[in-house]
Amino acid sequence: MSDEDADAPWTAVDDPHVEVVRAVGHENVTAEHASTFELTTDDWLTPAGDCIVGVEADRTPRDFSTEFREACRDADATIEATLVVEAGDETFEETVTGRGDPGLALLDDRSMVGRTSGYTDDERTILVDGDGAAADLDRDLVAALADGADLTLRLAVEPGE
């Protein structure tokens, strides 16, 4: 982590309820999917991948701490997925807020998916009942990703009370 990253509050990883994933955009990012958004470790993306907003992710749900995964399995937990896109002199930031669920496995070793539905029967799901999907993202943010901008995903879970 560079000194610059250490100064950015959204990159803090000392909190057991926060996970940070770094990825990049790709020329085929369209972010048109109405019910999901996805990051993948793959280094390629076909035009059919309209939910994928980042490739070459440096971490997957399998890499997340046990504490983080357990907190996400609380049906009353709130999970915030903040996407920060660095595009030259511009920075774009959007947050999708969802919830946890006892059915979240968080064990996939290739990709992660945020969902607007309650679907959990998938090791890739990182949040359910999200208030947004790929199609809801700011189009300037999406254009920056299509130009190959850097993407940081900050996942923060707040356990229920």
Side-chain angles (χ1 to χ4, degrees):
M1 177 186 305
S2 71
D3 290 338
E4 187 176 292
D5 288 341
D7 293 337
W10 46 266
T11 62
V13 292
D14 293 337
D15 185 335
H17 293 130
V18 174
E19 293 288 346
V20 175
V21 179
R22 289 175 178 78
V24 295
H26 185 278
E27 65 183 307
N28 288 329
V29 168
T30 60
E32 294 175 346
H33 203 278
S35 62
T36 64
F37 68 91
E38 180 177 348
L39 278 74
T40 180
T41 58
D42 293 342
D43 61 0
W44 52 272
L45 172 60
T46 70
D50 64 352
C51 66
I52 297 175
V53 297
V55 299
E56 298 182 42
D58 66 351
R59 307 184 67 228
T60 64
R62 185 176 295 267
D63 300 318
F64 298 165
S65 74
T66 301
E67 284 178 275
F68 181 85
R69 288 195 306 260
E70 287 175 3
C72 288
R73 291 183 187 121
D74 176 353
D76 295 323
T78 299
I79 302 173
E80 288 188 341
T82 302
L83 295 92
V84 179
V85 176
E86 301 286 339
D89 293 338
E90 293 190 86
T91 300
F92 303 96
E93 182 173 326
E94 283 219 34
T95 300
V96 174
T97 303
R99 68 171 180 83
D101 189 278
L104 294 180
L106 296 159
L107 292 173
D108 197 81
D109 63 357
R110 185 174 171 201
S111 65
M112 61 201 75
V113 178
R115 302 180 185 280
T116 60
S117 71
Y119 182 78
T120 61
D121 194 21
D122 182 325
E123 292 185 341
R124 306 176 307 154
T125 303
I126 54 174
L127 64 83
V128 295
D129 292 335
D131 62 2
D136 300 308
L137 296 174
D138 177 82
R139 294 294 100 182
D140 290 334
L141 178 148
V142 173
L145 289 171
D147 285 341
D150 291 333
L151 168 63
T152 301
L153 173 67
R154 180 182 187 272
L155 294 169
V157 59
E158 184 175 320
E161 295 182 21

